Amino acid sequence: NAGVTQTPKFQVLKTGQSMTLQCAQDMNHEYMSWYRQDPGMGLRLIHYSVGAGITDQGEVPNGYNVSRSTTEDFPLRLLSAAPSQTSVYFCASSSSLRQGPYNEQFFGPGTRLTVL
Amino acid sequence: DAKTTQPNSMESNEEEPVHLPCNHSTISGTDYIHWYRQLPSQGPEYVIHGLTSNVNNRMASLAIAEDRKSSTLILHRATLRDAAVYYCILRDAQPQKTSYDKVIFGPGTSLSVIP
């Protein structure tokens, strides 16, 4: 299993440009989420999905869109990039099984985005 | 949501034990205590979790206070590869099926290991 994969690893955008960060998982996980991490801070939840066709907002959703057309993929779209969106973005997935409390989140390697 | 507090940073000498504390005074009865760590330039990875009893796995041990208001992650012999940010997180063991148990990451504890 490749686990959670993210592309690209690095990206530089100009203010106002749009782009899509890709995330895929091969573990058949229902739950997927996007986080951003700024220097010296923990991860903040942007959007999440509990299954194909179902998405919802996290703590910091403004400026981002998501969709979940398949179980495997959960792309994050930046509509009009701003310097404040310069950050490292992590995608994560986890199983929805509730057999006990064990629900480990698996994280991708991250995408480092710079908006000029 | 119940929150956790951790020291911003800690140092340890290589091959010595490390005790990383976490306070969670507002923990609820259905909250499990999870620990993740984030190595430099990588995504977070799961370390260990527990409810009431102390837990051991190949990576670490988790000691939970009797009143569950605090816990300690124990690395028995720190290595240079253990230098990372360690996050203590509370997760509801009984969220609704259609809801998402949001994982709230605080700033964590940055562990430095001195050779």
Side-chain angles (χ1 to χ4, degrees), chain A residues 33 37 42 48 101-103 105, chain B residues 32 36 38 49 87 91 100 106:
Chain A
S33 52
Q37 184 173 37
Y48 63 94
Y102 184 65
N103 189 14
Q105 281 214 336
Chain B
Y32 276 71
Y36 281 72
Q38 186 175 19
H49 79 280
Y87 300 98
R91 302 195 67 186
Y100 181 74

Side-chain angles (χ1 to χ4, degrees), chain A residues 16-45:
Chain A
Q17 287 185 315
S18 62
M19 80 158 294
T20 299
L21 306 184
Q22 301 292 342
C23 174
Q25 53 91 8
D26 61 0
M27 297 172 282
N28 202 31
H29 286 167
E30 291 186 18
Y31 293 167
M32 296 186 73
S33 52
W34 277 102
Y35 295 84
R36 61 175 288 173
Q37 184 173 37
D38 301 311
M41 298 182 66
L43 284 75
R44 291 184 292 170
L45 184 64

Side-chain angles (χ1 to χ4, degrees), chain A residues 8-102:
Chain A
K9 291 187 177 180
F10 301 94
Q11 183 70 51
V12 178
L13 293 177
K14 295 181 179 178
T15 297
Q17 287 185 315
S18 62
M19 80 158 294
T20 299
L21 306 184
Q22 301 292 342
C23 174
Q25 53 91 8
D26 61 0
M27 297 172 282
N28 202 31
H29 286 167
E30 291 186 18
Y31 293 167
M32 296 186 73
S33 52
W34 277 102
Y35 295 84
R36 61 175 288 173
Q37 184 173 37
D38 301 311
M41 298 182 66
L43 284 75
R44 291 184 292 170
L45 184 64
I46 304 172
H47 285 285
Y48 63 94
S49 169
V50 298
I54 306 170
T55 64
D56 206 345
Q57 296 181 350
E59 303 171 70
V60 288
N62 292 340
Y64 308 94
N65 272 359
V66 292
S67 60
R68 184 94 180 271
S69 56
T70 67
T71 299
E72 295 76 21
D73 301 299
F74 191 43
L76 178 72
R77 281 183 288 278
L78 279 71
L79 308 174
S80 177
S84 61
Q85 293 179 305
T86 294
S87 189
V88 182
Y89 292 83
F90 291 100
C91 179
S93 75
S94 60
S95 171
S96 66
L97 295 177
R98 292 299 173 190
Q99 296 173 359
Y102 184 65

